[in-house]
Amino acid sequence: MLLEMAKELSTSGIYRLAQYGRSLSDMNKSDYDYVSSQELADATGHTAAQVRKDLTHHGSLGEAGKGYEVVKLKAMLTRVFGKEKTINVILIGVGYLGTALISHSGFQQQKFKIAAAFDRDMRKIGTYVEDVLIRDVRNLESTIADMGIKMAIVAVPKLAAQQAIDNLVSAGIEAILNFAPGHPNVPEGTELRNVDMSIELDRLCYLLERKDGN
Amino acid sequence: MLLEMAKELSTSGIYRLAQYGRSLSDMNKSDYDYVSSQELADATGHTAAQVRKDLTHHGSLGEAGKGYEVVKLKAMLTRVFGKEKTINVILIGVGYLGTALISHSGFQQQKFKIAAAFDRDMRKIGTYVEDVLIRDVRNLESTIADMGIKMAIVAVPKLAAQQAIDNLVSAGIEAILNFAPGHPNVPEGTELRNVDMSIELDRLCYLLERKDGN
DNA sequence: TGGTGTGAACCGATTCACAGCA
DNA sequence: TGCTGTGAATCGGTTCACACCA
């Protein structure tokens, strides 16, 4: 089944696929070792059947009795996520969170690079965090165009988020990872994912409530 | 249906419930106004039927023809999440991310308080970030016991995460929000939620792949 | 009239069980 | 024998449609 058409994959399916990729890097297997669906299942907390379904979904590459060849599996994941090359991303908002994101080692390992950072605080503009130059947010549009960037991370305060996102969209950004609380609007065709840390805490609260005394 | 038994709610159900709470704060309605399932649906991007199903699940409190009284809805949400009082949380790891979390205004608004922060860097211990004293991680256990804390946020580097989580568990922590990449192990009965920022970016990559040229 | 509450229908995702292959 | 690939069965969440109520 070469060049199979990529069927749509559910949100949780994408998430699991990404997890398999992480686990694969974490188990230090050589590229020519094999990994079984059961091993991947154990490492990620899913079931072996689930893993197999997910993997076959993108072209069958397992070998009966042996498992999946690590190098092939990695290649498949790279292709599915379109990560043949490092993905350049821009960052809006260089406060503590923005700085943390620039320093975040996980991005580099996963072939993401923060190619440019923007802020509107004149005291920050022109300085560097790690090796990333902080630029004036008024140059957003031209920088995005020059660099051909498609993805952005928003790490500005809640009240500035919608404006920042509007600017990104009109500058041609197609996918946004937003850390500001709230539910910013984006036009059809722009991908937006929100990470709301206090909602994550709420989930934990809910679980504790169900478990404890109550 | 007073004191209804709280049925288990799906992960996504909990998430939506938390979102309704946020939206409720954001729409500045008075406590005695009413809000319809349609309004909540628009604000959160779900369907009206979905909103109603979610809300009735925790006791019916809508009024036919009018909607849901804001004050009652808020009270219900507060009860479901066990947030009658401010929830004290501790933080492990006061790097950029940890500092960002301490400064994060969203927590305070949602009745979460970072009651104590820990690090193992002697230069940080004894100093303050905002009004939070940074303590020696070796005092973790006693502080948790003294303060009666149940929830923790882990913002240490990847390699230190499993150790930090083990320490938290043996100190009696029951719920952990982890920002380090990877899949730390926790014993049965401890709640763990992972926020992996590069997996979030991967999801966006996948979506872009499907949309663009490809 | 407007909007809730809910059974029924629908749909997709997960699990099961096993045939088939190295 | 060990492990994949996959149809079939199952499960649970979402949507639909409408009765009912203020």
Side-chain angles (χ1 to χ4, degrees):
Chain A
M1 200 202 255
L2 274 188
L3 269 190
E4 81 289 351
M5 238 330 67
K7 301 127 200 148
E8 272 313 319
L9 196 52
S10 70
T11 311
S12 36
I14 304 170
Y15 187 84
R16 287 192 305 267
L17 226 45
Q19 283 185 301
Y20 304 148
R22 298 294 179 286
S23 302
L24 223 44
S25 317
D26 288 353
M27 316 173 171
N28 43 3
K29 296 218 179 208
S30 114
D31 275 2
Y32 297 96
D33 281 343
Y34 284 77
V35 62
S36 70
S37 55
Q38 188 59 57
E39 283 178 280
L40 286 171
D42 292 343
T44 54
H46 306 292
T47 67
Q50 178 78 78
V51 173
R52 291 201 299 276
K53 264 273 189 329
D54 287 339
L55 297 183
T56 52
H57 209 266
H58 283 276
S60 14
L61 29 73
E63 292 170 47
K66 304 183 72 175
Y68 302 82
E69 195 181 353
V70 169
V71 67
K72 279 192 197 165
L73 197 46
K74 282 185 176 169
M76 184 274 268
L77 293 169
T78 299
R79 185 166 47 79
V80 167
F81 287 104
K83 285 169 59 177
E84 283 86 359
K85 296 179 185 160
T86 293
I87 309 275
N88 285 315
V89 179
I90 60 168
L91 169 71
I92 315 291
V94 191
Y96 288 116
L97 178 59
T99 304
L101 291 166
I102 292 174
S103 314
H104 183 55
S105 60
F107 287 154
Q108 216 171 341
Q109 276 166 29
Q110 296 301 327
K111 299 223 278 182
F112 291 109
K113 172 160 177 50
I114 295 191
F118 296 86
D119 206 292
R120 62 178 175 199
D121 181 341
M122 294 309 288
R123 286 166 300 179
K124 291 178 185 166
I125 293 166
T127 66
Y128 283 82
V129 173
E130 311 259 314
D131 60 343
V132 179
L133 172 65
I134 303 180
R135 299 160 197 253
D136 190 327
V137 75
R138 283 173 295 187
N139 300 328
L140 190 62
E141 201 146 348
S142 58
T143 310
I144 289 174
D146 292 349
M147 291 185 162
I149 305 266
K150 292 180 178 175
M151 291 184 46
I153 301 177
V154 172
V156 302
K158 177 172 182 169
L159 292 176
Q162 183 66 57
Q163 181 65 58
I165 287 172
D166 291 346
N167 292 343
L168 288 169
V169 170
S170 63
I173 287 292
E174 298 173 21
I176 298 168
L177 180 57
N178 170 46
F179 285 90
H183 308 90
N185 298 311
V186 290
E188 191 72 18
T190 304
E191 304 296 342
L192 173 68
R193 287 207 57 83
N194 295 302
V195 176
D196 187 326
M197 314 192 215
S198 54
I199 286 192
E200 297 300 332
L201 286 181
D202 273 346
R203 293 166 105 147
L204 288 174
C205 283
Y206 177 90
L207 295 170
L208 285 186
E209 265 310 284
R210 295 288 148 276
K211 203 178 59 168
D212 291 348
N214 197 16
Chain B
M1 201 204 257
L2 274 187
L3 268 188
E4 81 289 349
M5 237 331 66
K7 301 130 202 145
E8 272 313 319
L9 196 52
S10 70
T11 311
S12 37
I14 304 170
Y15 187 84
R16 288 193 304 268
L17 225 47
Q19 284 185 300
Y20 304 149
R22 300 293 181 284
S23 301
L24 222 46
S25 316
D26 288 352
M27 317 171 170
N28 44 3
K29 297 217 179 207
S30 113
D31 275 0
Y32 297 97
D33 282 343
Y34 283 78
V35 61
S36 69
S37 55
Q38 187 60 57
E39 284 177 280
L40 285 171
D42 292 342
T44 54
H46 305 292
T47 66
Q50 178 78 78
V51 174
R52 292 201 297 279
K53 264 275 185 338
D54 288 338
L55 297 184
T56 52
H57 210 265
H58 283 275
S60 15
L61 29 73
E63 292 171 45
K66 304 182 74 176
Y68 301 83
E69 194 181 355
V70 170
V71 66
K72 278 193 198 164
L73 198 45
K74 283 185 176 170
M76 185 274 269
L77 292 170
T78 298
R79 185 167 46 79
V80 168
F81 287 104
K83 286 169 59 175
E84 283 87 358
K85 297 179 187 160
T86 293
I87 309 277
N88 285 315
V89 179
I90 61 167
L91 169 71
I92 314 293
V94 191
Y96 288 117
L97 179 58
T99 305
L101 291 165
I102 293 174
S103 313
H104 183 56
S105 60
F107 287 153
Q108 216 171 343
Q109 277 165 29
Q110 296 301 326
K111 299 223 275 180
F112 290 110
K113 174 161 176 49
I114 294 188
F118 297 86
D119 205 293
R120 62 177 174 199
D121 181 341
M122 294 309 287
R123 287 166 300 179
K124 290 178 185 167
I125 293 165
T127 65
Y128 283 81
V129 173
E130 311 260 313
D131 60 343
V132 179
L133 171 65
I134 303 179
R135 300 161 197 252
D136 190 326
V137 74
R138 284 173 294 187
N139 300 328
L140 191 61
E141 201 146 347
S142 59
T143 311
I144 289 173
D146 291 351
M147 292 185 161
I149 305 268
K150 291 181 179 174
M151 289 182 50
I153 301 177
V154 172
V156 302
K158 177 171 183 171
L159 292 176
Q162 183 66 58
Q163 182 64 59
I165 288 172
D166 291 346
N167 293 342
L168 288 169
V169 169
S170 63
I173 287 292
E174 297 173 21
I176 297 169
L177 180 57
N178 170 45
F179 285 91
H183 309 90
N185 298 311
V186 290
E188 191 70 19
T190 304
E191 305 295 342
L192 173 67
R193 283 207 59 83
N194 294 303
V195 176
D196 186 326
M197 314 193 218
S198 54
I199 286 193
E200 298 299 332
L201 287 182
D202 274 345
R203 293 165 104 147
L204 288 174
C205 282
Y206 177 90
L207 296 170
L208 285 186
E209 265 312 284
R210 295 288 148 277
K211 203 177 61 169
D212 291 348
N214 198 13

